Amino acid sequence: MQKIRNIAIIAHVDHGKTTLVDKILHSCSIFRDNEQTGELILDNNDLERERGITIVSKNVSVRYKDVKINIIDTPGHADFGGEVERVLKMADGVLLLCDAFEGAMPQTRFVTQKALALGLKPIVVVNKVDKENCRPEEVYEQIFELFFNLEATEEQLDFPVIYGSSKQGWMSTDWKVPTTDIFPLMDAILENIPPAPISEGTLQMQITSLDYSSFVGRIAIGRVARGTIRENMPVSLVKRDGTIQKSRIKELYTFEGLGKVKATEVSSGDICAVVGIEGFDIGDTIADFEKPEQLEVIHIDEPTMNMLFTINTSPFFGKEGKFVTSRHLRDRLYKEMEKNLALKVVETESPDSYLVYGRGILHLSVLIETMRREGYELQVGQPQVIIKEVDGVKCEPVETLIVDVPGEVAGKVIELVTQRKGDLLVMEPKGDLQHLEFEIPARGIIGLRNNVLTATGGEAIMAHRFKSYEPWKGNIPGRLNGVLVSMDTGKTTAFAIDKLQDRGRFHIDPGVDIYEGQVLGEHIRDNDLVINLTKGKQLTNMRASGSDTNVRIAPAIKFSLEESMEYIQADEYIEVTPQSIRMRKIFLNENERRVNAKKFQNQ
């Protein structure tokens, strides 16, 4: 038998996957003693470090007791489910992490369902047992029930359980008996995860991930399903639609520690990176040159939301970004589609605009944030859910929403969710918190997080996942207040902001450049108000006694990209540049807005 184990680490967001991988890397001593590694070693791009979440799955390998263990760290967020679905194809077993207090959460269910459907062998790790109020036994029962509900096989239901704290670096078979290292977990992996099977025959390898090197171009990553792959070997590339391209492998690499090591041949069961194949996509099969056989194509769940991406047309375009034309925007979006399987780009009637379909607001906002950091300028419209017709009935995506909130503010949360056509299904105590479960249209979740956090003083924990398409639930009220819109282009003055503070709350500070049609704040009423913030104080050479009071201005309310996406309405855009995020009206001129107002009324 081969001495290779392939495991994926899956869990809900923030249950400790990347921290556990850190500890495995350290305990299998792949670093020198004096090497500075920091925390969350695998979250290596800026966006992942800032947000504290994993966005892209990554492979590493460690050696333990002379066995090579390939570990795949996966994202926990529902919006990046496309990443999880495709990398599970490389694994023979999964480590399912679960928080000892929170228990099975929506994303735990989603990833477990995918893993069980692929017939992977699970090991359950109840993490964070050092937390106060933790309830490891209850969580174990919960997970058993979850497996049973997801129709796990007898063998999968007989899963081993390891308790521990990946942050403190210990794992044990009994949570009341802490150990000093994580080797009980490593032993459980060797005992329970089946070794990677050897399949004789002609070559088959499915491409499940991409890497890029500025020296050799795109690199295909996947697991060899059958046969052996060798350096300099002629192969056939079978595309998703069944067409075949002849090609040759230039170089082969296997994963060792955090890096790659050159190899001359890789046999079935191991994960490798292939250099030299042109024009491949995720899901293609690298097969035998003479008799190519295709592996089953990876199926990814449909996107549930779309947004309009268009070039920046504001008066400030081109001031901050390097890439501002529609050609730049088109090339970048199509490049993203190659590696981001859950994303879809559709051209519109206008050559400057593209409809981008994704899994949710976070999925799309990570793409926008990445683009602005690369120097792109663009504008995006209001996120829209995708509506389907099923058996002649208009249907929309419905999500399961879970909110954990202090008991005294649970009523406010229920009120906010039911206003948006949400139905309360479960309400039960969980430690000091109330655990609420709802079914709510995906439209209702847009803009809900802000309101819930405001109503609960920032103490609510929200998680949601796509459930199914269900009949249209009717109209949902949008933003209640109108906005304050700029009348003029120029610099804002403290004098003007001070005089207009009773009209609403501002999003900008004094001394900032603004343009006509830009959204400057929120009006206290439900209609839009056009204001002039560039007006200075009339100065005379007469000193007025007592009227030269200091201006007192409330701090501006700054919106993040996701908050802006949830805030804007159908007649507004977000202008995104490398240094600024501004909200604006689609029609900057007030007369044009009046003429076109009817267009947006039914949206």
Side-chain angles (χ1 to χ4, degrees), residues 424-476:
L424 179 66
L425 305 177
V426 177
M427 182 176 180
E428 59 192 18
K430 176 173 161 185
D432 315 338
L433 303 175
Q434 277 288 353
H435 175 78
L436 310 172
E437 285 184 31
F438 302 91
E439 270 180 19
I440 180 171
R443 290 176 298 146
I445 288 182
I446 299 174
L448 178 67
R449 181 177 296 274
N450 268 349
N451 297 352
V452 167
L453 290 178
T454 308
T456 60
E459 290 196 25
I461 302 166
M462 284 175 69
H464 56 89
R465 72 179 175 92
F466 172 68
K467 178 177 171 269
S468 59
Y469 271 86
E470 292 182 11
W472 180 260
K473 297 269 199 283
N475 205 17
I476 291 177

Side-chain angles (χ1 to χ4, degrees), residues 168-189:
Q168 295 186 353
W170 66 269
M171 290 284 157
S172 169
T173 46
D174 182 351
W175 68 281
K176 293 173 187 151
V177 187
T179 59
T180 52
D181 52 43
I182 63 161
F183 294 133
L185 172 64
M186 304 305 284
D187 293 328
I189 291 172

Side-chain angles (χ1 to χ4, degrees), residues 153-288:
T153 61
E154 288 286 326
E155 194 187 356
Q156 285 170 330
L157 279 171
D158 186 22
F159 54 83
V161 184
I162 303 286
Y163 299 95
S165 161
S166 44
K167 193 166 189 182
Q168 295 186 353
W170 66 269
M171 290 284 157
S172 169
T173 46
D174 182 351
W175 68 281
K176 293 173 187 151
V177 187
T179 59
T180 52
D181 52 43
I182 63 161
F183 294 133
L185 172 64
M186 304 305 284
D187 293 328
I189 291 172
L190 297 192
E191 281 166 34
N192 297 289
I193 302 293
I198 299 177
S199 305
E200 298 295 339
T202 55
L203 171 66
Q204 273 188 318
M205 169 182 158
Q206 190 159 47
I207 300 169
T208 45
S209 278
L210 298 182
D211 201 353
Y212 184 80
S213 150
S214 48
F215 298 110
V216 294
R218 293 168 74 220
I219 301 170
I221 297 173
R223 174 181 166 173
V224 184
R226 190 175 74 190
T228 305
I229 190 165
R230 294 184 184 82
E231 210 172 24
N232 234 350
M233 180 182 186
V235 291
S236 302
L237 179 70
V238 186
K239 306 286 289 174
R240 289 176 82 101
D241 56 5
T243 55
I244 295 170
Q245 295 173 9
K246 300 298 181 189
S247 191
R248 182 180 289 274
I249 287 161
K250 287 183 188 158
E251 291 177 347
L252 270 182
Y253 294 89
T254 56
F255 290 89
E256 279 293 335
L258 289 174
K260 300 188 190 80
V261 177
K262 203 162 181 182
T264 49
E265 64 171 55
V266 179
S267 54
S268 62
D270 205 352
I271 295 171
C272 68
V274 178
V275 174
I277 291 177
E278 293 294 318
F280 64 82
D281 291 307
I282 288 173
D284 295 352
T285 306
I286 299 174
D288 186 58

Side-chain angles (χ1 to χ4, degrees), residues 309-312 323 329 368 371-372 376-380 574-577:
F309 280 50
T310 176
I311 58 169
N312 188 4
F323 308 113
L329 182 64
I368 298 166
M371 286 173 68
R372 73 182 275 234
Y376 285 84
E377 281 195 14
L378 65 151
Q379 290 179 157
V380 293
I574 306 168
E575 177 193 350
V576 181
T577 70

